[in-house]
Amino acid sequence: MTIDTATFTPTWSEEFDAPIAWGAKWVGDRSSAYRHGDHNPDDNKLDWLDPGCVTVAGGMATFTATPAGRTLENGRPAWRTGLLTTEYSAEGFQVRTGDHIETRVRLPSATGAWPALWTWKDGANEIDSFEYHPDNPDLLELSNHVTCSPASSAYHTDADAIGPDRWVTIGTRYGARCVEWYVNGDRVHCDGTGVGADWSAYLILNLSLSAGEHHPAPCGPAPVTFAVDYLRVYREASRW
């Protein structure tokens, strides 16, 4: 999708061309989506959040996960990993109905990697712009958890565009009656349900580690990485 600047106005962005603005723009040590704040074994994740696992260099953010040397409540080994959320930040930015969000990411190749861009607020309001697992190398998971219908979730496969260590641009428009997903500028799914007129939510961009129930867990102690070029939000001019 080419952004129509007559309709959409750039409203918020993270270009990763400066150090992470911890506390002001982003928070990385907790999320209300995680039962224990900094970790969440309930969701088949090995994550233990650590802001030090997100670094910036050369106009790009790198999320790096490594064994944490600690054990989760379910007995599984935790991994230190990175998460960026606007929740709890001083700025408190939220996307809302009508916004279009876009990110450019390099998909990981390591077993157990589970990167995602999603939204969260008050225990709900979740839209997954994408989730990725290298064991399904050419597939992105796209989901609207706000309104449930047969079209609320989709598996988008494209061996020419999606794969480990490949850069891909992913966009989502949070329409009131239809959420639309874009990959490298092409619309790949439209759910026909939307988020409603008054929806809003915080952003989460993170690298989770699968615990093995649905996708393989990490197969060794080697670091797992995920890279992001930018994250941008465009808002309909009529909504300013």
Side-chain angles (χ1 to χ4, degrees):
M1 177 184 183
T2 300
I3 301 298
D4 180 359
T5 55
T7 303
F8 289 91
T9 302
T11 186
W12 184 94
S13 73
E14 175 58 85
E15 303 297 327
F16 298 115
D17 53 5
I20 300 291
W22 295 117
K25 189 172 189 175
W26 294 110
V27 165
D29 61 354
R30 65 195 186 281
S31 166
S32 66
Y34 282 33
R35 179 161 68 96
H36 298 285
D38 58 1
H39 63 287
N40 185 30
D42 299 341
D43 199 23
N44 194 46
K45 293 182 176 181
L46 302 177
D47 309 7
W48 203 296
L49 302 183
D50 183 342
C53 293
V54 185
T55 58
V56 172
M60 180 178 72
T62 300
F63 294 66
T64 302
T66 57
R70 57 200 312 173
T71 303
L72 298 168
E73 288 78 0
N74 58 11
R76 296 182 180 274
W79 279 59
R80 296 172 58 247
T81 192
L83 176 147
L84 296 176
T85 180
T86 57
E87 185 182 23
Y88 305 123
S89 71
E91 184 180 276
F93 178 78
Q94 297 181 50
V95 286
R96 64 194 196 196
T97 301
D99 285 357
H100 181 96
I101 189 169
E102 183 177 276
T103 188
R104 182 172 179 261
V105 302
R106 186 174 66 200
L107 299 171
S109 58
T111 299
W114 180 2
L117 171 61
W118 47 302
T119 63
W120 188 259
K121 183 181 178 183
D122 298 331
N125 285 23
E126 180 180 355
I127 302 292
D128 299 330
S129 286
F130 81 94
E131 297 177 82
Y132 180 74
H133 301 274
D135 55 302
N136 292 323
D138 60 354
L139 183 150
L140 295 177
E141 300 176 24
L142 321 172
S143 302
N144 175 359
H145 296 282
V146 176
T147 55
C148 294
S149 78
S152 292
S153 298
Y155 292 149
H156 173 66
T157 58
D158 184 346
D160 292 329
I162 302 164
D165 294 322
R166 299 188 67 171
W167 285 97
V168 59
T169 301
I170 301 167
T172 308
R173 186 183 179 200
Y174 311 113
R177 298 180 179 177
C178 183
V179 177
E180 300 174 340
W181 286 264
Y182 297 82
V183 173
N184 292 339
D186 296 326
R187 191 173 77 170
V188 298
H189 183 59
C190 177
D191 71 0
T193 57
V195 294
D198 299 319
W199 175 87
S200 63
Y202 300 104
L203 293 171
I204 301 177
L205 177 64
N206 74 305
L207 172 62
S208 284
L209 285 303
S210 296
E213 182 178 350
H214 306 294
H215 298 274
C219 57
V224 175
T225 61
F226 164 58
V228 185
D229 183 13
Y230 64 80
L231 177 60
R232 299 168 183 162
V233 178
Y234 300 85
R235 184 155 291 167
E236 291 179 307
S238 61
R239 290 180 174 266
W240 280 93

